[in-house]
Amino acid sequence: MQEQVKVAARGTTWTLEGEGRERFMDLNMGPQHPSTHGVLRLKLHLNGEVVERCEPVLGYLHRAKEKIAEKGQWIKFMPITDRMDYIAGIYNNWGYARAMEELHEIEVPERAEYLRVVSGELQRLASHYLFLGTFGLDLGMITPFFYSFGDREKVLGLIEELTGARLTITYFRFGGVKWDAPEGWFDRVESTVDELEAHHKEMWDLLVENDILNMRLRGVGVMTEEEAVSLGCTGPVLRATGKEYDIRKDDPYGVYPRMRFDVPTETTGDCYGRFMVRIREMKESFKIIRQALREMPDGPIIAKGFDGSKIIRTKPPNKESYGRVETPKGELGFWLVSDNSMKPYRVKARGHSFSNLHCLPLLVEGSTIADTVVSLASLDIVLGDIDR
Amino acid sequence: MTFIDQLHSFLGDVAAQFGLPEMPLIVTKLVWWLVASVLLFTVALTIGGLFTWVFRRLFAFFGLRKGPNRVGPEGMLQFLADGIKLLTKEDLLPSKADKWTYRLAPYVVVVPFVLAWAPLPWSDVIIFSNLAYGVVFILAVSALPPLGELMAAWGSNNKYSMYGGIRAAALDFSYEIPLVISAASIVLLVGGLDTQGAVMAQQGYWFGFIPKWFVFPQIIGAFIFFVSLLAKTGIIPTDLGESESELISGLTTEYSGMRFGFFFVAMFSGIFFLSALTVTFFFGGWTGPGFLPPLVWFLLKTFGLVFLVFWIWVTLPRFRVDQFLNYAWKTLFPLSILNLVIAVALKVWGVY
């Protein structure tokens, strides 16, 4: 029997449903909430503090990006991609550029590929720093937020020197990159990476060996490898379950086959695993940046025929292509359909955060509100990518 | 001759000089009570306000920033600017709030924390009210704020506030009992209920150099007291009532203006007060070597403890509700009983 109980401070509208002692309450967490990382709304069906059902509601940031793509020339979609995952804009450029390069069979010069790797890994660091800061904040740790944002600031400073922008970068072009590195930039990257690595150790001590943090994270939001694969999770969310899946290794692009780095995995599949994968990945990024700086060749930075204003008249052949890259948050793919005109026939983006968010109900149902916040934070979603 | 009598005769002399009739004793008493309580509130709220600045500066230094440094010397008057801002803000009332409980709640939170300052010994002579049952008074009065928090939660008519209030109430039950038991151990060792007596009992040295602080025989009690302090003030490892990242702002979600300011000031004056209480019970209060006056010793020790509290605040993550409740009921509570047994043993063996 469904009993409706009015709990009331003066005609209030909370309605509890349920039988006997089981009383449920619906709580709309978001779109305005400090820890939903943007305008995500979670419909929580609560029994006390225990989450019985959780339903993410999307669409508060929808900007019809894929439709916008069809309205302009191919290259004009490049700045729009920056606004998708705005934490790691370079990877959106990269995904789109890779798809286009496969579609049009463009040969990318070597120096451009190395510049892409360096700027990309810097962007990965920036994204993971943001994750560490906000993850700590969601757990109630205030100071790591300032530490990691201080470090992120240094990375963004380097990216700004290279590209002229900090967040919406639009650095990549079909067949290369827009700017060559300014004078002395490689040395500054090298010294900054040394500095960041020292700080990274400090963050590690502060976060990883903290007892309360371990209590809060271990065994929370557990997911098995099969579940993660079947739900389409990628990136650190998938690697935390023990599956070693990294597009940089499994479907290599650019000069990644030459880079020597490990793919960190954890076997626990809980929030701690996801957190550890990211914080260990940062060490690999330091390695990759160092190696790329050592091997940086000279040469052109953009393919012949795609430099200057010629790029706007790009007419890819009449076919389809799918290009994907490993972003800090997972797999980002672009599916392009061309009808041999100057405008795309169709652009479809396969977002990492959108796919990763699907596992949230699985992670949080049966846990408490506090664990919901931690599980959500450990997925490291960005709403710009979910809604597009 | 008590202080009141001295004051009364002094006022009588002043009145006689101006040719005024002598006032009855009760008028003097009323005047003194008024002055003393105004002074108490001023001191408590000023310290509460000042500590918001201390906290923000320290927090900034921990996070490699500068913090408020513009208003007054080193930004010391920032809290006044903030207070004026809060006072001039609109006092919002949620449309379906329970008006009375909503409006009353901040006072129920802030007043007990200030009242509890009365029997706190600042030095051998500075004490607002040397009550013979000071410990009981402090414990009873400082247990009231959770009631105000529950009122705030209920009155706001907000689900987040309600969760915050329920959490705060659950938390209150869990830490209050170990807190009272560990205070009872001190009372047992002192053999009296007044706070000044507790400080007096810690004067002197063992072997000529170890101060006779209760923290040494009562280390478990001091630990329990400190953890309960963290829980009572509602700062980060245990700020379950507020839980900013989970419940938006918990029970103060709907509050704005000075009503919110009261919660804020109560929190900071509570941190100072409870640190001072820990110092009084376990670290010898105002006692110390004679080269500094007792008040300075008291303030130094208290600031030391407050610094530790702020350090913990900015470093640690938050407990989950059930984790802290488990910890309080299954670890702190048995430990406090053990601590009481130790106190009884010390008393029986004649150490105290």
Side-chain angles (χ1 to χ4, degrees):
Chain A
M1 194 186 81
Q2 286 275 305
E3 186 194 358
Q4 295 255 325
V5 187
K6 286 249 171 188
V7 175
R10 205 73 53 105
T12 176
T13 47
W14 317 345
T15 312
L16 304 185
E17 295 172 14
E19 287 179 41
R21 292 171 60 81
E22 298 268 297
R23 299 277 160 82
F24 299 106
M25 179 160 91
D26 284 328
L27 180 67
N28 279 312
M29 201 163 156
Q32 286 86 29
H33 190 281
S35 52
T36 50
H37 295 256
V39 280
L40 176 66
R41 174 173 151 220
L42 297 179
K43 273 163 83 176
L44 299 180
H45 189 61
L46 297 160
N47 176 14
E49 269 213 42
V50 179
V51 179
E52 297 282 331
R53 269 206 314 277
C54 164
E55 186 189 328
V57 183
L58 319 174
Y60 291 92
L61 199 63
H62 188 64
R63 292 152 297 171
K65 293 238 179 289
E66 289 166 9
K67 190 67 189 168
I68 291 173
E70 296 166 16
K71 296 289 165 190
Q73 281 87 343
W74 286 91
I75 191 65
K76 283 188 180 172
F77 186 51
M78 190 66 90
I80 310 284
T81 58
D82 280 331
R83 278 86 177 160
M84 286 166 53
D85 172 5
Y86 44 78
I87 308 297
I90 278 184
Y91 283 98
N92 305 330
N93 293 176
W94 204 339
Y96 186 51
R98 187 185 180 199
M100 185 62 183
E101 280 149 16
E102 273 174 21
L103 186 65
H104 211 336
E105 286 160 6
I106 307 171
E107 198 68 35
V108 184
E110 194 141 275
R111 186 176 173 85
E113 287 287 13
Y114 272 96
L115 278 171
R116 281 179 176 188
V117 168
V118 174
S119 58
E121 293 301 324
L122 282 175
Q123 186 77 84
R124 187 185 305 275
L125 283 176
S127 172
H128 281 344
Y129 275 129
L130 192 123
F131 164 76
L132 285 183
T134 52
F135 191 57
L137 213 56
D138 284 343
L139 284 161
M141 293 175 105
I142 318 172
T143 306
F145 180 75
F146 294 104
Y147 284 12
S148 66
F149 265 64
D151 288 348
R152 179 171 178 261
E153 195 63 30
K154 289 176 193 140
V155 176
L156 290 187
L158 288 175
I159 290 176
E160 189 179 11
E161 256 186 88
L162 180 66
T163 67
R166 291 157 53 84
L167 213 61
T168 50
I169 293 162
T170 325
Y171 181 49
F172 287 24
R173 296 290 181 273
F174 303 142
V177 294
K178 176 67 181 166
W179 312 104
D180 205 342
E183 207 171 314
W185 189 73
F186 295 125
D187 299 332
R188 285 196 287 282
V189 172
E190 189 113 43
S191 62
T192 309
V193 165
D194 291 342
E195 210 176 314
L196 293 178
E197 200 157 20
H199 283 193
H200 185 261
K201 173 135 191 2
E202 202 176 338
M203 287 290 277
W204 183 287
D205 292 343
L206 185 61
L207 291 164
V208 174
E209 285 157 25
N210 189 314
D211 277 350
I212 303 179
L213 194 101
N214 277 275
M215 277 166 73
R216 285 297 303 274
L217 298 185
R218 282 188 191 275
V220 171
V222 184
M223 184 166 53
T224 63
E225 190 184 320
E226 290 75 42
E227 284 165 341
V229 171
S230 63
L231 284 165
C233 297
T234 46
V237 179
L238 176 60
R239 287 198 284 276
T241 61
K243 187 158 176 67
E244 198 176 325
Y245 174 75
D246 189 322
I247 299 166
R248 290 176 294 176
K249 291 268 191 198
D250 295 330
D251 178 17
Y253 48 98
V255 289
Y256 270 117
R258 293 181 214 168
M259 296 292 155
R260 287 182 296 278
F261 65 101
D262 302 322
V263 179
T265 53
E266 295 277 329
T267 50
T268 49
D270 55 3
C271 290
Y272 191 76
R274 292 189 276 277
F275 161 71
M276 284 303 287
V277 165
R278 291 201 181 88
I279 198 165
R280 284 168 59 196
E281 243 176 44
M282 294 169 78
K283 285 186 172 176
E284 303 302 321
S285 286
F286 295 137
K287 273 204 304 209
I288 296 173
I289 292 173
R290 288 225 177 83
Q291 194 194 343
L293 289 180
R294 268 201 312 276
E295 297 174 358
M296 181 71 66
D298 286 331
I301 54 162
I302 193 154
K304 260 203 154 80
F306 288 90
D307 47 343
S309 60
K310 278 175 257 173
I311 199 160
I312 204 143
R313 293 189 294 276
T314 309
K315 268 190 193 171
N318 192 357
K319 57 178 190 175
E320 298 174 11
S321 78
Y322 180 71
R324 53 185 183 162
V325 288
E326 179 73 26
T327 76
K329 300 181 181 68
E331 172 180 337
L332 175 70
F334 280 89
W335 177 58
L336 309 183
V337 183
S338 164
D339 56 354
N340 196 15
S341 70
M342 296 211 316
K343 292 178 182 176
Y345 180 75
R346 175 84 170 93
V347 173
K348 166 83 180 80
R350 185 259 183 223
H352 40 75
S353 296
F354 181 74
S355 304
N356 287 351
L357 185 68
H358 282 303
C359 66
L360 186 69
L362 176 77
L363 299 184
V364 304
E365 276 169 12
S367 65
T368 62
I369 297 179
D371 286 345
T372 303
V373 168
V374 176
S375 295
L376 181 64
S378 77
L379 294 179
D380 192 20
I381 53 162
V382 56
L383 264 291
D385 179 76
I386 289 173
D387 286 344
R388 286 200 285 279
Chain B
M1 207 160 153
T2 63
F3 176 73
I4 291 289
D5 293 328
Q6 285 175 353
L7 186 71
H8 183 62
S9 67
F10 173 72
L11 286 180
D13 292 348
V14 173
Q17 276 186 359
F18 289 98
L20 297 169
E22 196 180 337
M23 286 176 292
L25 186 64
I26 185 72
V27 176
T28 313
K29 279 188 173 173
L30 279 176
V31 167
W32 171 239
W33 288 339
L34 198 66
V35 168
S37 44
V38 167
L39 196 66
L40 178 65
F41 266 75
T42 315
V43 168
L45 295 183
T46 310
I47 285 186
L50 209 54
F51 267 73
T52 60
W53 169 75
V54 173
F55 169 69
R56 288 170 66 182
R57 284 294 272 185
L58 281 176
F59 175 28
F61 289 140
F62 279 120
L64 311 176
R65 295 178 295 125
K66 286 204 162 38
N69 60 357
R70 295 301 170 96
V71 191
E74 286 294 306
M76 209 178 272
L77 300 179
Q78 183 68 43
F79 77 95
L80 281 181
D82 289 348
I84 290 166
K85 183 198 77 177
L86 286 177
L87 276 171
T88 50
K89 273 184 145 181
E90 189 185 354
D91 179 24
L92 282 170
L93 180 76
S95 60
K96 282 185 180 167
D98 194 331
K99 271 181 210 156
W100 273 96
T101 42
Y102 179 83
R103 290 202 168 128
L104 202 57
Y107 305 108
V108 180
V109 172
V110 79
V111 168
F113 262 134
V114 177
L115 269 187
W117 286 55
L120 191 69
W122 292 69
S123 82
D124 45 353
V125 286
I126 306 175
I127 180 165
F128 279 100
S129 169
N130 193 6
L131 297 174
Y133 42 85
V135 176
V136 176
F137 179 81
I138 285 176
L139 291 177
V141 169
S142 68
L144 281 176
L147 177 66
E149 288 168 359
L150 211 50
M151 282 167 69
W154 180 257
S156 301
N157 186 28
N158 179 315
K159 291 174 185 175
Y160 291 111
S161 300
M162 201 63 221
Y163 271 113
I166 300 284
R167 280 182 179 191
L171 189 69
D172 180 50
F173 279 108
S174 67
Y175 67 73
E176 200 72 54
I177 294 166
L179 178 84
V180 169
I181 293 176
S182 66
S185 321
I186 296 298
V187 169
L188 198 71
L189 294 182
V190 174
L193 282 169
D194 61 326
T195 47
Q196 199 66 282
V199 180
M200 297 290 188
Q202 299 177 69
Q203 277 176 328
Y205 297 89
W206 284 303
F207 315 120
F209 65 99
I210 304 175
K212 277 192 173 176
W213 295 349
F214 284 139
V215 67
F216 298 117
Q218 290 282 296
I219 181 79
I220 305 172
F223 174 73
I224 292 164
F225 210 85
F226 187 69
V227 173
S228 310
L229 178 163
L230 296 178
K232 213 180 177 82
T233 47
I235 64 160
I236 252 171
T238 52
D239 70 331
L240 304 176
E242 193 188 324
S243 306
E244 199 228 330
S245 58
E246 293 150 26
L247 304 179
I248 300 183
S249 194
L251 45 91
T252 56
T253 303
E254 294 286 356
Y255 281 91
S256 65
M258 203 53 209
R259 277 180 214 282
F260 170 73
F262 277 135
F263 282 105
F264 207 59
V265 166
M267 180 163 155
F268 280 92
S269 83
I271 288 172
F272 181 85
F273 164 71
L274 289 165
S275 305
L277 199 63
T278 316
V279 165
T280 304
F281 283 165
F282 293 99
F283 294 92
W286 43 262
T287 61
F291 57 85
L292 285 177
L295 180 64
V296 176
W297 275 117
F298 173 77
L299 289 178
L300 273 181
K301 289 174 184 174
T302 308
F303 285 159
L305 211 55
V306 169
F307 179 77
L308 186 62
V309 170
F310 285 163
W311 194 358
I312 289 172
W313 186 349
V314 300
T315 311
L316 291 185
R318 181 184 299 118
F319 278 105
R320 212 166 57 207
V321 191
D322 54 319
Q323 283 170 345
F324 188 78
L325 294 188
N326 263 333
Y327 178 65
W329 281 109
K330 293 181 184 167
T331 312
L332 286 186
F333 181 53
L335 272 181
S336 67
I337 302 280
L338 176 71
N339 185 59
L340 188 63
V341 170
I342 293 173
V344 170
L346 289 172
K347 194 77 181 172
V348 169
W349 292 334
V351 181
Y352 281 92

